[in-house]
Amino acid sequence: MISKIQSRIEEYIKEIKTANNHNELNSIKINTLGKNGIIKNLLKDVLDREYDDDVKKNAFDYINKVKQQITQMILKKKTEIDDFIQNSKINLEYIDVTLPVKNNNIGTRHILSSMVEKIRKYFIFRGFDVVDGPEIDREFYNFDALNIKKTHPARQSCDTFYIHDDWLLRTQTSTMQIRELSKKTLPVKMVSIGRVFRCDSVDSTHSPIFTQMECLVAGRDPICIGNLRHELINFLSFIFDNKNIDIRFRTSYFPFVEPGMEVDCLYNGSWLEIGGAGIVHPNVFSNCGIDGKVYGFAFGLGIERIVMIKNNINDIRFLYDTDVRILRGLSL
Ligand code: PHE
């Protein structure tokens, strides 16, 4: 009797091995392990017939073994088919990143990042330390040490984003003057570029987040406004690709410089305001623990402003928009 069913079982095993997809495998499963499948029918057959107990037991053992074998084979085949489908998908979706690009629709760095990088490189080449500092800072670095009195209007919460206690989002990169001077290793030649935050509403010239660069030169050797002017003219000539750039100073007030001034730059025939500058106030040095005769100049410029002037755009929002048609048109 066993030999009679053996050949049918073998047929099914062959079918399982050659099944190509889940449908084929499923119908084999129904035909073998299903309610009306060969295994169930064999068991019924054995039960119904008048065999000796011994023969019956042998037959049951055999059928159960076959059942287990078929179950395992179907399971194994199922994972094989799954793997095959998965691998075909992966092969189909494979992207060869070494192939040449079909069109010039590729991404680039944002103009602001490129400008920051350009300025960084310039100052590194000129022997400055280019440093980064925290955007979340304390009143000490943003105000106190910079000689900005507790009553100064800029400290009010309508101008400054306070976080809690004396923690705030820095309103200027001048914080980095304090961080560098506090190391007390003179001379200092540093540039720091980064984001600053102010409670301004957005309009064509204001944004609550913008990018500033800070430059500080300080040491025991005398430094005068001429040195500041020279550094600014060199830097702005580089940025505006113009060897004969002209700048002018207008007196202004920043508590951490004395005298303090605003810097205008002659560009395409008009004077444009580009930032603040001055000779470092003695209180700033003493607040950083530096005593004795010490000299320094500092200036701070807005990076967005530089990009806007260079590209003749009058709305800062263009720089933060994601419209690539505009962004692509901007140049360094
Ligand atoms: N920190 C000043 C500002 O944000 C700019 C400045 C920097 C002025 C350095 C003087 C010296 O307006």
Side-chain angles (χ1 to χ4, degrees):
M1 182 204 88
I2 283 177
S3 62
K4 210 173 66 190
I5 54 167
Q6 230 160 10
S7 64
R8 273 177 75 197
I9 300 273
E10 239 128 60
E11 277 298 301
Y12 279 117
I13 286 178
K14 233 190 254 161
E15 275 184 39
I16 294 172
K17 280 185 180 153
T18 56
N20 278 326
N21 53 49
H22 286 310
N23 276 349
E24 274 178 45
L25 197 65
N26 260 340
S27 59
I28 297 170
K29 193 175 169 184
I30 291 167
N31 289 336
T32 50
L33 307 173
K35 258 194 222 150
N36 246 325
I38 179 175
I39 298 288
K40 276 265 156 66
N41 283 332
L42 280 172
L43 287 171
K44 242 207 270 154
D45 200 43
V46 176
L47 267 176
D48 289 350
R49 285 178 196 244
E50 297 280 318
Y51 291 130
D52 285 348
D53 281 356
D54 266 10
V55 179
K56 274 194 179 180
K57 191 184 174 304
N58 274 345
F60 283 143
D61 283 352
Y62 175 73
I63 294 167
N64 271 330
K65 236 171 68 196
V66 168
K67 187 183 165 189
Q68 269 176 24
Q69 189 190 359
I70 290 178
T71 311
Q72 269 168 19
M73 286 188 76
I74 288 179
L75 253 172
K76 195 172 150 233
K77 190 71 191 180
K78 190 181 169 306
T79 48
E80 271 175 36
I81 294 173
D82 281 343
D83 284 354
F84 178 79
I85 292 172
Q86 181 75 357
N87 285 334
S88 325
K89 248 196 194 157
I90 289 171
N91 286 337
L92 216 72
E93 288 166 6
Y94 171 76
I95 296 170
D96 185 351
V97 290
T98 65
L99 284 176
V101 189
K102 283 205 194 85
N103 53 35
N104 61 1
N105 236 359
I106 48 173
T108 58
R109 275 193 158 196
H110 190 275
I111 184 78
L112 276 175
S113 310
S114 305
M115 184 56 87
V116 168
E117 205 46 43
K118 182 174 169 162
I119 297 173
R120 279 211 174 110
K121 279 193 185 138
Y122 171 85
F123 280 104
I124 287 171
F125 187 71
R126 289 179 51 79
F128 280 72
D129 286 330
V130 176
V131 294
D132 278 327
E135 291 174 351
I136 297 175
D137 214 334
R138 310 192 84 131
E139 275 189 299
F140 175 77
Y141 291 100
N142 201 82
F143 295 130
D144 298 325
L146 283 164
N147 199 33
I148 302 175
K149 299 271 164 336
K150 289 266 186 259
T151 50
H152 195 281
R155 296 183 73 138
Q156 280 169 20
S157 60
C158 55
D159 287 306
T160 304
F161 289 113
Y162 284 93
I163 296 170
H164 61 78
D165 303 334
D166 66 329
W167 289 94
L168 44 75
L169 296 180
R170 66 175 177 193
T171 62
Q172 49 188 354
T173 44
S174 303
T175 52
M176 293 309 292
Q177 290 190 31
I178 305 305
R179 289 184 180 276
E180 288 306 292
L181 286 175
S182 300
K183 293 178 184 166
K184 291 193 228 172
T185 42
L186 295 173
V188 170
K189 270 178 88 179
M190 79 101 194
V191 161
S192 188
I193 312 175
R195 283 190 297 186
V196 296
F197 308 81
R198 292 181 192 176
C199 296
D200 276 326
S201 343
V202 184
D203 65 25
S204 62
T205 53
H206 292 90
S207 158
I209 305 175
F210 61 99
T211 322
Q212 246 190 5
M213 69 158 284
E214 192 82 10
C215 175
L216 169 73
V217 174
R220 297 290 178 193
D221 292 334
I223 281 174
C224 67
I225 292 181
N227 301 114
L228 165 62
R229 187 180 163 83
H230 176 78
E231 197 61 57
L232 269 168
I233 288 185
N234 272 349
F235 171 61
L236 292 169
S237 304
F238 166 75
I239 286 298
F240 292 118
D241 315 308
N242 181 351
K243 293 283 160 278
N244 302 311
I245 200 122
D246 202 3
I247 64 165
R248 73 178 182 194
F249 292 133
R250 275 178 297 111
T251 43
S252 184
Y253 176 65
F254 302 98
F256 39 96
V257 284
E258 182 57 42
M261 42 245 181
E262 238 141 283
V263 187
D264 294 342
C265 178
L266 187 62
Y267 190 76
N268 283 345
S270 33
W271 288 102
L272 301 167
E273 188 190 319
I274 56 152
I279 296 296
V280 180
H281 196 292
N283 286 356
V284 172
F285 289 122
S286 53
N287 289 343
C288 296
I290 298 173
D291 302 321
K293 274 223 164 310
V294 52
Y295 306 84
F297 70 71
F299 63 83
L301 311 177
I303 306 294
E304 281 82 352
R305 182 106 177 104
I306 291 173
V307 174
M308 285 166 74
I309 292 173
K310 279 203 83 168
N311 287 280
N312 206 10
I313 50 173
N314 49 20
D315 198 322
I316 197 170
R317 287 166 292 198
F318 284 151
L319 299 179
Y320 306 124
D321 249 356
T322 49
D323 190 336
V324 286
R325 289 167 306 179
I326 293 172
L327 293 176
R328 260 200 208 108
L330 303 178
S331 59
L332 265 186

